[in-house]
Amino acid sequence: KSSPFTIFAMLRTAVKPLVAVPEGARGMATLKEISTRLKSVTSIQKITKSMKMVSAAKFARAEKSLKEARANGPASLALAEKGKVPVDEQTDKQLIVTISSDRGLCGAIHSGVAKTVKNVLKQTPAGVETRLVTVGDKSKAILSRIVPEKFLLSGNEFGRKPPVFAEASFVAQEILASGYEFKNGTIYYNHCKSAAAYEVRKRPLFNASLLEGRGEILAYEEVDKDSLQSYAEFTMASNLYYTMLEGAASEQSARMSAMENASSNAADMIASLRLTFNRTRQAVITRELIEIISGASALD
């Protein structure tokens, strides 16, 4: 025996398809959804255009700072090159420093550095001890999922403002204060080739132990251990500062390109949504006209 509630449920199910639904109801709902989506994409396009303009202004400032400091790049490695310091030899202890930032919305610029470091770690022999120092949260977030046990130091709150030498000095000081006696070090960073192109490059890092006893260096002038230590520390800070400037200019360039592509994609989506909106509206109007004419014909 069926309960009254089961019978009522069956009746409601049976009656539901017989309820008259206005022909234009589906079209009107679709028009409202398309209109809401159109407003949303238009707002996004305004944001991306504004971000592109801001990035263009920041890139101009970063490029100016980079041009002023670009002479320091080769100069910071001049003594190592003249002294034939073996900075690229494979050793049992190596240090890898990655330069990125905390900010996103700039394409794959940060993941490119992390991918390069990941490939280097795969090719490193098993007996080599490797430690990582990451500057910026983006590279840290990627590498911490892959090799969390290799982290020595990590720094954040970088990239929100233009880099200054004090930040590079602080990073160099923390590396030296960590007590890790590396024999071979490398900085991986983004090198700004132009306003629309960048590439991942590396620069060597060396400590004072590699400079001691080099006959090529002593041929210029006899220097004591403290002078070599001071020079190694200053060179590390200079290299870090130079790579930070290169990375900042590359980031603004990549963000400019990313926002331009986003604005272009939004424009294409707006055009498509407007076409869909007009077609749907025309279909609704046509259907309503047919209903009016059919009703008038039936009355006649």
Side-chain angles (χ1 to χ4, degrees):
K1 185 178 179 180
S2 300
S3 65
F5 297 103
T6 305
I7 296 173
F8 285 135
M10 294 173 61
L11 287 173
R12 282 197 298 269
T13 305
V15 171
K16 226 173 199 179
L18 301 178
V19 177
V21 179
E23 290 290 334
R26 182 178 179 82
M28 292 301 294
T30 306
L31 283 175
K32 186 176 180 181
E33 292 173 359
I34 296 173
S35 179
T36 304
R37 183 77 183 277
L38 190 58
K39 291 179 181 178
S40 175
V41 176
T42 304
S43 300
I44 292 173
Q45 187 187 38
K46 292 179 181 178
I47 294 172
T48 55
K49 284 183 176 180
S50 300
M51 291 186 66
K52 178 189 172 184
M53 294 173 63
V54 172
S55 299
K58 289 185 177 180
F59 173 75
R61 183 171 57 183
E63 188 180 28
K64 182 180 178 181
S65 301
L66 181 59
K67 285 181 179 179
E68 295 174 354
R70 222 159 206 173
N72 297 333
S76 60
L77 298 178
L79 184 62
E81 293 174 354
K82 297 293 183 181
K84 298 180 181 179
V85 178
V87 293
D88 292 329
E89 290 184 358
Q90 191 68 54
T91 58
D92 56 347
K93 284 188 175 183
Q94 68 174 356
L95 179 70
I96 294 178
V97 182
T98 64
I99 304 296
S100 63
S101 77
D102 295 355
R103 303 187 64 193
L105 297 177
C106 49
I109 186 169
H110 300 312
S111 59
V113 174
K115 184 178 179 181
T116 302
V117 173
K118 185 172 68 173
N119 294 334
V120 171
L121 293 175
K122 286 182 179 180
Q123 298 172 5
T124 302
V128 178
E129 181 183 352
T130 305
R131 289 292 179 265
L132 295 176
V133 175
T134 59
V135 179
D137 277 340
K138 292 300 179 180
S139 58
K140 175 188 174 183
I142 300 173
L143 293 173
S144 61
R145 295 195 298 265
I146 305 171
V147 284
E149 71 282 356
K150 294 185 180 297
F151 270 75
L152 178 66
L153 296 170
S154 62
N156 57 359
E157 295 298 327
F158 177 75
R160 301 181 185 278
K161 295 182 179 180
V164 293
F165 188 77
E167 292 177 334
S169 300
F170 178 75
V171 175
Q173 181 181 357
E174 291 298 316
I175 292 174
L176 295 172
S178 66
Y180 183 68
E181 296 292 337
F182 63 94
K183 297 181 180 179
N184 184 18
T186 310
I187 306 175
Y188 289 91
Y189 66 103
N190 289 294
H191 176 78
C192 181
K193 298 173 66 177
S194 66
Y198 62 89
E199 64 180 359
V200 179
R201 290 188 181 181
K202 65 178 183 178
R203 288 180 70 83
L205 281 179
F206 53 88
N207 52 23
S209 61
L210 294 176
L211 299 175
E212 294 177 2
R214 302 295 303 178
E216 295 83 358
I217 296 178
L218 296 177
Y220 292 94
E221 184 179 358
E222 186 175 353
V223 291
D224 56 3
K225 185 176 180 180
D226 293 337
S227 299
L228 289 177
Q229 180 67 28
S230 299
Y231 173 77
E233 293 175 2
F234 180 75
T235 302
M236 180 184 294
S238 298
N239 279 323
L240 288 170
Y241 179 56
Y242 170 71
T243 55
M244 286 177 179
L245 289 174
E246 289 279 3
S250 301
E251 180 183 341
Q252 298 301 334
S253 169
R255 185 172 289 111
M256 218 169 28
S257 300
M259 293 301 104
E260 183 178 1
N261 293 334
S263 300
S264 177
N265 293 337
D268 295 341
M269 190 176 294
I270 288 171
S272 177
L273 287 172
R274 282 177 178 169
L275 182 62
T276 305
F277 180 83
N278 292 333
R279 285 179 176 175
T280 307
R281 183 177 61 179
Q282 189 63 40
V284 172
I285 294 172
T286 303
R287 189 183 304 115
E288 291 178 353
L289 287 174
I290 291 173
E291 291 175 357
I292 293 171
I293 295 171
S294 300
S297 299
L299 290 176
D300 292 341

